[in-house]
């Protein structure tokens, strides 16, 4: 096997986004300097970087709060979503009866139901986590259910001919078949969990020492501290990228040795 082209492709996969990011930042910096754009309107990348350093204790403490809520919500979405998918796959009747309720959660804007959740749940952190779970759970349920049903008919017949039990069919056929679909849903849900956490913080209007990045964005907007607002947005974007890369790494570790979706990238 010729490894040189593969290694070159792998290096380019990491280098290409870095080159694009550097080019965009350079153009942004040049534009703000050339047109003398005031920092209160659009701060330059260097101004945002200086704000990130100057306000690091405040911003990174808020980042920790938001990321903690999003990770808790993502873990709950995975557990609950996989459990719901396993129940759905046991009976078409159950799936038909309850799928509209799951879709209802997905299509209802979180800003519309977040106030109700915050009123019903006294603990603010728990309410924020529940809001993020509502946003993140649908891709897990949808993709995992699809994967559990997408088994090879020939393998299904083989299991049936050998009189495999329902448990054996589930653990040895359906779950391995569903793993690629599950990780596809996980990549989407990881970003949605972070979005749900930020939106819930906006709706709740939480403040004080344990406030998340949404509060810092709100306060920066009120005070017209635009560089801090941009710095908070940069942290949210970087956290979203980290969530996605974490999900992609998990997929690579689980599927990298046997499934074509990961093998084809080598």
């Amino acid at each position: 096997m010729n490894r040189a082209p593969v290694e070159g492709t792998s290096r380019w996969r990491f280098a290409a986004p870095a080159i694009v990011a550097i080019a965009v930042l350079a153009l942004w910096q040049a534009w703000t300097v050339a047109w003398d754009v005031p920092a209160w309107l659009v701060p330059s990348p260097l101004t945002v970087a200086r704000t990130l350093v100057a306000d690091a204790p405040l911003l990174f403490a808020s980042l920790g709060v938001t990321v903690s809520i999003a990770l808790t919500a993502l873990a709950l979405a995975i557990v609950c979503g996989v459990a719901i998918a396993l129940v759905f796959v046991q009976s078409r009747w159950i799936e038909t009866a309850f799928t509209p309720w799951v879709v209802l959660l997905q299509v209802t804007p979180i800003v519309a139901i977040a106030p109700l959740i915050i009123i019903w749940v006294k603990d603010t952190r728990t309410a924020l986590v529940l809001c993020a779970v509502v946003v993140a759970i649908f891709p897990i349920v949808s993709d995992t259910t699809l994967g559990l049903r997408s088994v090879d008919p020939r393998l299904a017949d083989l299991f049936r001919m050998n009189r495999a039990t329902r448990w054996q069919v589930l653990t040895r056929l359906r779950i391995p078949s569903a793993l690629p679909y599950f990780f596809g849903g996980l990549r989407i849900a990881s970003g949605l969990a972070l979005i749900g956490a930020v939106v819930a913080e906006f709706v709740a209007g939480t403040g004080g020492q344990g406030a998340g990045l949404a509060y810092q964005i709100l306060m920066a907007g009120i005070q017209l501290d635009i560089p801090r607002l941009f710095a908070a947005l940069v942290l949210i974007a970087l956290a979203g990228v980290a969530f996605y890369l974490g999900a992609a790494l998990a997929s690579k570790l689980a599927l990298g040795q046997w499934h074509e979706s990961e093998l084809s990238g080598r």
Side-chain angles (χ1 to χ4, degrees), residues 224-257:
L224 287 180
D225 190 349
I226 306 304
R228 180 184 290 181
L229 192 154
F230 267 75
L233 290 176
V234 167
L235 289 182
I236 291 176
L238 292 177
V241 172
F243 272 46
Y244 180 85
L245 292 178
L249 178 62
S251 175
K252 187 77 175 178
L253 293 175
L255 307 175
Q257 299 300 321

Side-chain angles (χ1 to χ4, degrees), residues 5-221:
V6 177
E7 291 174 356
T9 303
S10 179
R11 282 196 293 269
W12 175 248
R13 186 184 302 172
F14 291 102
I19 293 172
V20 172
I22 292 171
V24 170
L25 291 175
L27 288 173
W28 180 1
Q29 180 70 31
W31 174 65
T32 54
V33 172
W35 292 85
D36 196 20
V37 180
W40 56 265
L41 184 61
V42 180
S44 68
L46 287 179
T47 303
V48 174
R50 282 195 289 266
T51 304
L52 267 175
V53 174
D55 297 340
L58 180 68
L59 291 175
F60 280 90
S62 295
L63 174 66
V65 173
T66 300
V67 168
S68 171
I69 292 171
L71 285 177
T72 306
L74 182 61
L76 285 174
I78 292 172
V79 173
C80 297
V82 171
I84 292 171
L86 289 173
V87 171
F88 278 4
V89 81
Q90 300 305 313
S91 165
R92 284 287 186 185
W93 183 89
I94 295 175
E95 183 180 357
T96 304
F98 289 97
T99 294
W101 293 97
V102 179
V103 175
L104 195 64
L105 286 177
Q106 173 68 15
V107 299
T108 304
I110 188 61
V111 293
I113 58 175
L116 289 175
I117 295 176
I118 292 168
I119 291 172
W120 291 338
V121 181
K122 292 183 178 179
D123 181 68
T124 303
R125 178 182 167 80
T126 304
L128 298 180
V129 169
L130 286 177
C131 291
V133 170
V134 170
V135 176
I137 196 171
F138 183 77
I140 300 290
V141 175
S142 177
D143 287 25
T144 306
T145 302
L146 177 64
L148 289 170
R149 292 208 178 280
S150 300
V151 298
D152 189 329
R154 293 166 298 182
L155 290 176
D157 290 339
L158 181 62
F159 274 69
R160 195 175 301 111
M161 289 171 56
N162 286 281
R163 298 181 180 179
T165 64
R166 184 182 287 260
W167 176 253
Q168 289 173 327
V169 172
L170 177 66
T171 56
R172 300 182 183 181
L173 180 60
R174 291 194 183 278
I175 289 179
S177 299
L179 281 178
Y181 295 84
F182 164 76
F183 283 108
L186 180 62
R187 294 187 190 194
I188 301 172
S190 59
L192 290 178
L194 183 63
I195 293 172
V198 173
V199 172
E201 287 175 353
F202 270 119
V203 175
T206 53
Q209 192 172 6
L213 282 174
Y215 174 73
Q216 302 303 336
I217 291 173
L218 281 173
M219 292 306 297

